[in-house]
């Protein structure tokens, strides 16, 4: 076994050359964002696409926080087992939670393709296998997890003999791996410019009200909305009592990671974790003529062990137990934030202020989803997850609003329709046809009458914010989420929508 002194003390992701973004501060933007990690830059990119001016203020450099220390598992499989998630919160909330992770993976993939980001994004399976160092038979539990996933609409397969030491496992499809720092640097490049800013070495000192003013590096920047995207939320406009109450529901844990070269035929690229508590996790990707393993575990409450070196030794032993020919090269530690009930806190924490935290082991997916939710919050849109992850949530089973009472197609169409990119302009709409186009940063439902007249209305359904689609057979705009129907001019033909589509 290699001595720890032989290992490079740096995250694998930090080995790339990163551009720097100037700290020149604007006087005013629509949205101020604190934190240059996955959440802040996702929100910034989406808001800029929507026509808002944004400024991301990062105390150090892009990705210098936990996004740069992640193990880079891009998965919607939550740390809290699905059967337990259903038991605690009910099927609707469990389904929405996993759908949120799946939508986040789709959004990352879409951003990578649209911005042509070189970040080694690949779809891979995620295997959850029986505890590495335990004699307990967990076959029935794993089978129940697979059945619960399939019941809620997620592809999962129980394996009596899985890829890790032939232990029983569940294989979940359509997960992903990515170089997280390369990805968010791609987002940062897209954000910076044209009236929006990424400001490194820019620390928030104070937030003032009326008008909302951010004191950053001794200078004042006014904004209409504030998004707090730090690992643990800053207080901002939140009162001391409320901020303290939220932090009492957050539990920081340290985790230890080894990066190692492994033989090319040892295991397929993918994500792997066992059922230990705390669990071990493994990520494998191709790297030239070999594979590279990112392996970690030995989590504990931050500051509550006397010998962190023992944690690294434990992780290294476990890695070599699984892959004896692994050649460790580097090591690093990260921090995850657990919550009192196992779900993140994402939403409004004061008027005009949005915050997100408590991603547990799903930082990249929940962080991406939080960025999308921040985008919807600023634009005043309802969101399928706003009640599930609300920072002030109480009883999810009893307290979820009509979002959960709607059919399960709602979140799918709500997000995927927004990701769909329609090519061409109004000239591409043929007589008698209709298309949803992006015009001036807004989604517009465009219909050309048989005589050639153009009718343009908002494509956003006035019921709950989904995008309408053209029904050529009936010559109507139809909402795929809840069935509202509108005339080509946007008038309501059938509910539940009560208001016409807005004129474009």
């Amino acid at each position: 076994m290699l001595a720890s002194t032989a290992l490079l003390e740096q995250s694998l992701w930090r080995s790339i050359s990163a551009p720097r973004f100037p700290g020149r501060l604007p006087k005013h933007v629509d949205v101020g964002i604190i934190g240059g990690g996955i959440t802040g830059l996702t929100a910034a990119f989406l808001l800029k696409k929507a026509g808002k001016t944004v400024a991301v203020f990062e105390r150090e450099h892009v990705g210098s926080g936990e996004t740069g220390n992640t193990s880079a598992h891009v998965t919607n499989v939550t740390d809290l087992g699905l059967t337990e998630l259903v038991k605690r919160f009910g099927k609707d909330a469990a389904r929405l939670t996993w759908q949120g992770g799946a939508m986040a993976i789709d959004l990352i993939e879409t951003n990578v393709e649209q911005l042509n980001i070189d970040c080694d994004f690949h779809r891979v399976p995620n295997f959850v296998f029986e505890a590495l160092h335990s004699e307990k038979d967990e076959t029935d539990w794993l089978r129940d997890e697979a059945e619960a996933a399939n019941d809620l609409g997620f592809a999962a397969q129980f394996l009596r003999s899985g890829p890790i030491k032939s232990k029983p496992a569940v294989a979940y499809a359509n997960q992903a791996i990515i170089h997280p720092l390369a990805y968010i640097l791609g987002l940062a490049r897209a954000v910076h410019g044209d009236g929006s800013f990424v400001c490194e070495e820019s620390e928030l000192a104070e937030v003032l009200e009326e008008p909302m003013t951010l004191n950053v590096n001794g200078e004042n920047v006014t904004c209409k909305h504030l998004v707090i995207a730090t690992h643990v939320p800053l207080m901002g406009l939140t009162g001391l009592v409320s901020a303290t109450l939220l932090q009492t529901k957050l539990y920081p844990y340290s985790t230890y990671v080894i990066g190692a070269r492994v033989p090319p035929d040892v295991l397929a690229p993918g994500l792997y974790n066992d059922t230990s508590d705390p669990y071990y996790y493994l990520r494998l990707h191709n790297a030239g003529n070999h594979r590279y393993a990112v392996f970690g575990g030995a989590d504990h409450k931050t500051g509550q062990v006397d010998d962190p070196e023992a944690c690294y030794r434990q992780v290294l032993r476990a890695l070599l137990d699984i892959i004896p020919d692994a050649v460790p090269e580097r090591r690093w530690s990260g921090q995850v934030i657990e919550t009192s009930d196992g779900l993140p806190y994402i939403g409004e924490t004061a008027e005009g202020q949005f915050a997100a935290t408590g991603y547990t082991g799903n930082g990249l997916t929940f962080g991406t989803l939080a960025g999308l939710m921040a985008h919807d919050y600023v634009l005043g849109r309802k969101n399928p997850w706003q009640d599930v992850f609300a920072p002030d949530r109480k009883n999810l089973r009893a307290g979820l609003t009509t979002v959960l009472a709607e059919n399960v197609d709602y979140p799918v169409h709500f997000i995927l329709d927004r990701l769909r990119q329609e090519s061409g302009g109004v000239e591409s709409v043929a007589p008698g046809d209709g298309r949803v186009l992006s015009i001036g940063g807004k989604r517009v439902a465009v219909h050309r009458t048989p005589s050639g007249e153009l009718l343009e209305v908002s494509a956003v359904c006035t019921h709950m914010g989904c995008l309408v689609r053209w029904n050529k057979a009936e010559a109507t705009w139809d909402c795929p989420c809840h069935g509202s129907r509108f005339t080509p001019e946007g008038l309501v033909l059938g509910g539940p929508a009560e208001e016409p589509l807005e004129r474009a």
Side-chain angles (χ1 to χ4, degrees):
M1 185 181 299
L2 296 182
S4 62
T5 54
L7 304 185
L8 180 63
E9 305 269 350
Q10 184 192 51
S11 157
L12 173 65
W13 323 121
R14 299 193 192 281
S15 61
I16 66 171
S17 177
R20 292 296 173 235
F21 295 89
R24 184 173 67 87
L25 304 181
K27 295 297 183 183
H28 174 81
V29 288
D30 295 325
V31 187
I33 299 174
I34 312 302
I38 185 74
T39 302
L41 286 165
T42 300
F45 174 64
L46 294 177
L47 285 165
K48 182 178 178 180
K49 281 182 64 177
K52 300 293 184 181
T53 57
V54 301
V56 178
F57 301 108
E58 167 55 48
R59 183 176 60 184
E60 297 181 28
H61 298 287
V62 168
S64 61
E66 290 308 314
T67 302
N69 291 330
T70 177
S71 61
H73 285 58
V74 186
T75 179
N76 69 324
V77 180
T78 51
D79 279 11
L80 192 64
L82 187 54
T83 51
E84 180 62 22
L85 200 62
V86 170
K87 181 180 177 181
R88 289 189 189 184
F89 306 112
K91 282 189 174 183
D92 288 328
R95 181 186 291 111
L96 275 176
T97 298
W98 276 43
Q99 281 179 334
M103 296 301 160
I105 300 172
D106 290 342
L107 179 55
I108 291 172
E109 185 174 33
T110 298
N111 291 341
V112 169
E113 292 174 353
Q114 289 182 356
L115 297 175
N116 195 28
I117 303 175
D118 183 11
C119 59
D120 295 324
F121 178 93
H122 295 286
R123 291 280 184 166
V124 296
N126 184 0
F127 297 90
V128 177
F129 60 95
E130 193 174 72
L132 194 58
H133 302 132
S134 173
E135 300 301 320
K136 182 181 178 182
D137 184 357
E138 296 181 294
T139 302
D140 290 342
W141 182 83
L142 290 165
R143 185 182 287 111
D144 290 344
E145 288 289 292
E147 290 177 357
N150 287 314
D151 179 53
L152 294 181
F154 304 99
Q157 181 183 7
F158 170 73
L159 305 174
R160 184 171 292 279
S161 179
I164 301 291
K165 301 177 77 68
S166 298
K167 287 180 172 289
V170 180
Y172 298 95
N174 297 317
Q175 312 302 302
I177 54 177
I178 195 173
H179 191 299
L181 196 53
Y183 171 66
I184 66 170
L185 284 168
L187 294 181
R189 291 187 187 97
V191 169
H192 193 65
D194 300 321
S196 289
F197 304 82
V198 175
C199 304
E200 295 183 318
E201 298 181 353
S202 299
E203 185 171 7
L204 176 71
E206 187 179 15
V207 182
L208 305 173
E209 297 181 82
E210 298 180 4
M212 188 182 295
T213 302
L214 312 180
N215 185 271
V216 180
N217 290 355
E219 299 183 33
N220 287 336
V221 181
T222 60
C223 59
K224 299 174 184 176
H225 288 89
L226 173 63
V227 175
I228 297 180
T230 53
H231 188 51
V232 175
L234 304 175
M235 186 167 70
L237 293 173
T238 309
L240 178 62
V241 174
S242 296
T244 303
L245 180 61
L246 176 60
Q247 292 188 3
T248 62
K249 298 185 286 186
L250 303 176
Y251 314 110
Y253 278 74
S254 296
T255 188
Y256 298 84
V257 187
I258 301 288
R261 297 166 72 98
V262 299
D265 56 352
V266 61
L267 285 168
L271 307 175
Y272 306 81
N273 65 272
D274 79 343
T275 59
S276 302
D277 185 16
Y279 61 84
Y280 293 106
Y281 48 87
L282 169 67
R283 175 197 191 275
L284 280 174
H285 64 271
N286 289 322
N289 61 357
H290 63 279
R291 292 218 168 104
Y292 204 91
V294 175
F295 184 83
D299 300 13
H300 62 80
K301 280 192 174 182
T302 298
Q304 294 192 11
V305 298
D306 296 326
D307 185 10
E309 289 293 335
C311 298
Y312 278 118
R313 290 193 295 270
Q314 176 187 332
V315 170
L316 190 52
R317 284 194 299 269
L319 169 61
L320 296 175
D321 181 28
I322 296 175
I323 309 176
D325 294 329
V327 180
E329 292 184 337
R330 61 180 66 231
R331 71 180 194 175
W332 68 94
S333 66
Q335 188 185 66
V336 296
I337 302 295
E338 303 287 345
T339 67
S340 57
D341 62 7
L343 295 181
Y345 295 110
I346 307 172
E348 184 180 67
T349 52
E351 186 176 355
Q353 176 176 291
F354 184 97
T357 188
Y359 300 154
T360 63
N362 294 69
L364 294 181
T365 42
F366 279 146
T368 299
L369 182 60
L372 173 64
M373 292 175 66
H375 159 271
D376 289 346
Y377 172 77
V378 170
L379 298 184
R381 294 176 176 174
K382 294 182 179 179
N383 188 286
W385 299 278
Q386 63 190 31
D387 295 307
V388 178
F389 301 145
D392 61 351
R393 63 178 178 263
K394 295 179 176 62
N395 186 343
L396 282 183
R397 282 181 177 272
L400 290 180
T401 62
T402 55
V403 172
L404 292 183
E406 300 294 344
N407 64 72
V408 296
D409 293 332
Y410 172 49
V412 178
H413 293 295
F414 187 85
I415 301 303
L416 292 186
D417 282 355
R418 291 194 215 164
L419 300 181
R420 185 179 293 108
Q421 295 293 310
E422 293 284 1
S423 59
V426 294
E427 69 279 358
S428 65
V429 182
D433 203 358
R435 297 185 66 189
V436 173
L437 302 175
S438 180
I439 301 176
K442 297 182 179 181
R443 294 301 178 91
V444 180
V446 180
H447 168 64
R448 190 184 298 274
T449 68
S451 63
E453 179 187 2
L454 282 177
L455 302 176
E456 301 179 9
V457 294
S458 170
V460 180
C461 178
T462 54
H463 175 226
M464 294 188 73
C466 291
L467 296 183
V468 297
R469 297 179 180 179
W470 179 249
N471 179 341
K472 191 171 184 178
E474 303 294 333
T476 58
W477 292 109
D478 298 349
C479 177
C481 292
H482 306 117
S484 298
R485 303 180 68 214
F486 305 86
T487 69
E489 297 80 11
L491 300 178
V492 177
L493 282 175
E498 298 180 3
E499 301 293 330
L501 299 177
E502 296 179 1
R503 296 302 298 269

